[in-house]
Amino acid sequence: NKKVIASAPGKVTLFGEHAVVYGYPALVVSIDKRIYAIAEKRNDDVIKINARDLRVPGIVISYIGNEVVLETDYGLILPAIAYINKAIEVTSKYIGTKAGVNIEIRSEMPVGAGLGTSAAVAVSTIAAYAYVNEYELKKEEIANLGWQVEKEVQGIASPMDTSITAIGGFLKIKYIDKTVERTPIEVKEEIPLLIGYVERESRTKDMVAMVRKKIESYPEIYMKIMELIGNTVEKAESALLNNNLHELGSFMNLNHSLLDALGVSTRRLNELVYVARDAGAYGSKLTGAGGGGCVIALTPENQDVIETAMKLHGTLTFRTKLGTDGVKIE
Ligand code: PMV
């Protein structure tokens, strides 16, 4: 039977996390690590999922339109499976087919590090399932279906991850309620970035809830911080467009300080941020929800030295190219 491979990139948030929840813009960018979804059409309505790269043991069997995954080796419904299963369900409804599929997921990224793996899994699965059934969906359509998948699986979800993994490149994102504005930013030069990962101590949901509590208690202080993050994003966008990397770096530092003021950084994240700066990064900040997770460092020079310093500090690091293609059929 016909086989189709779709892939979608991971992402980092360059500027504006948390403030984006309050209607301010954020800048997000795709990275050169991808998720691959390999789909093979079946002659029945069975969904067979193999996602060993996402630490899912064995093969999972489900049926189109079923909420519940019926069989796994461990009898568990693992989070990664929920995204794949829901992505097929949502797409099958959208394109009006109930064709079964064998689907295999491959990953070049660590899962759950805040690099947008779940969105990339959802989006690559949607594209592969649609394409194997002879539907070529537009990137915007895939982004919206992906957002729907994340919302249905998680309860609430930001449209940032599904937007960037579907569209790729650099995006300025703004969302209020159900509407999302996605504005591509044309960045001509290469932006060299290092990513360092420290273990998560808290979940995104809890970090967002903690920030909301602070805003409710002291809106006159915390909404000011949000506004300052919003201003920083606008200035950072200009620095990005002008390829002024020194300025871009100092806005990263400023954005990090404001996130620290919100209370979402940790000692380990702060240490890593300063290790990178001391070793020569133009700027560094936590990326994503905080409470552990990833740090990004802008490293147009001394990348080896900075990477070694970050490694010596005991973190997993990797280099990445920014602004790679969004979802595509390979
Ligand atoms: O940790 P991540 O990559 O899932 O990013 C969360 C981003 C927040 O702005 C903190 C939350 C959101 O809904 O946008």
Side-chain angles (χ1 to χ4, degrees):
N1 269 357
K2 190 172 143 192
K3 259 194 187 181
V4 162
I5 305 177
S7 74
K11 71 101 212 325
V12 290
T13 306
L14 291 176
F15 294 95
E17 49 276 87
H18 285 290
V20 74
V21 177
Y22 297 89
Y24 293 100
L27 293 182
V28 281
V29 63
S30 53
I31 62 174
D32 63 355
K33 303 273 181 288
R34 304 181 79 82
I35 295 278
Y36 295 85
I38 305 144
E40 186 184 14
K41 205 169 165 173
R42 296 174 58 98
N43 302 320
D44 52 21
D45 66 347
V46 172
I47 310 168
K48 258 194 185 178
I49 301 168
N50 168 352
R52 289 194 178 85
D53 269 12
L54 305 176
R55 293 192 240 118
V56 175
I59 304 270
V60 179
I61 299 173
S62 176
Y63 299 91
I64 299 278
N66 265 34
E67 287 287 334
V68 184
V69 173
L70 296 175
E71 286 174 37
T72 76
D73 283 5
Y74 288 54
L76 297 169
I77 302 166
L78 295 147
I81 293 300
Y83 291 97
I84 302 163
N85 210 46
K86 186 60 81 178
I88 294 169
E89 184 192 313
V90 160
T91 313
S92 118
K93 238 182 239 157
Y94 191 73
I95 64 177
T97 176
K98 290 207 162 189
V101 67
N102 293 335
I103 196 132
E104 184 184 343
I105 304 290
R106 289 282 165 105
S107 175
E108 296 176 340
M109 292 175 276
V111 182
L115 299 174
T117 36
S118 59
V121 166
V123 158
S124 57
T125 302
I126 291 166
Y129 182 73
Y131 203 79
V132 88
N133 286 299
E134 261 108 78
Y135 278 85
E136 204 167 343
L137 301 177
K138 288 197 202 77
K139 288 182 174 172
E140 292 263 326
E141 279 177 298
I142 299 177
N144 287 327
L145 289 173
W147 189 20
Q148 189 185 334
V149 169
E150 284 218 314
K151 278 190 284 197
E152 287 186 26
V153 174
Q154 297 165 195
I156 42 161
S158 144
M160 284 211 295
D161 290 11
T162 39
S163 297
I164 191 64
T165 190
I167 293 160
F170 290 74
L171 278 184
K172 184 174 178 180
I173 290 185
K174 212 171 153 170
Y175 67 92
I176 296 162
D177 295 330
K178 286 187 186 66
T179 53
V180 39
E181 267 172 50
R182 308 177 177 105
T183 317
I185 303 171
E186 290 300 324
V187 177
K188 284 170 206 82
E189 308 289 326
E190 208 171 280
I191 314 266
L193 210 72
L194 266 172
I195 301 177
Y197 173 68
V198 301
E199 216 171 298
R200 289 295 290 266
E201 293 165 30
S202 328
R203 295 175 308 168
T204 299
K205 224 171 123 186
D206 301 328
M207 300 308 288
V208 171
M210 182 194 79
V211 170
R212 182 162 302 275
K213 260 206 182 127
K214 291 187 176 182
I215 288 195
E216 279 163 11
S217 307
Y218 302 103
E220 68 283 16
I221 297 173
Y222 285 97
M223 279 312 282
K224 283 256 162 58
I225 299 177
M226 295 303 181
E227 198 185 323
L228 290 173
I229 294 177
N231 296 343
T232 309
V233 172
E234 299 292 352
K235 298 284 182 223
E237 185 188 1
S238 311
L240 201 55
L241 285 170
N242 300 327
N243 200 41
N244 190 335
L245 296 189
H246 281 289
E247 210 169 78
L248 193 68
S250 60
F251 288 128
M252 283 170 74
N253 296 348
L254 175 55
N255 196 162
H256 180 79
S257 303
L258 293 167
L259 287 165
D260 198 15
L262 284 182
V264 300
S265 195
T266 62
R267 182 168 68 110
R268 292 214 62 200
L269 287 173
N270 282 351
E271 281 169 3
L272 193 57
V273 156
Y274 279 92
V275 163
R277 285 182 207 167
D278 283 353
Y282 282 24
S284 56
K285 65 182 276 293
L286 74 84
T287 178
C294 288
V295 161
I296 51 174
L298 183 61
T299 54
E301 291 174 72
N302 305 317
Q303 203 174 44
D304 289 339
V305 177
I306 301 164
E307 188 168 21
T308 307
M310 286 167 79
K311 276 199 202 308
L312 282 174
H313 199 70
T315 53
L316 185 77
T317 62
F318 49 96
R319 297 167 186 220
T320 183
K321 283 210 180 86
L322 300 184
T324 51
D325 286 344
V327 66
K328 63 180 177 191
I329 304 294
E330 296 286 330

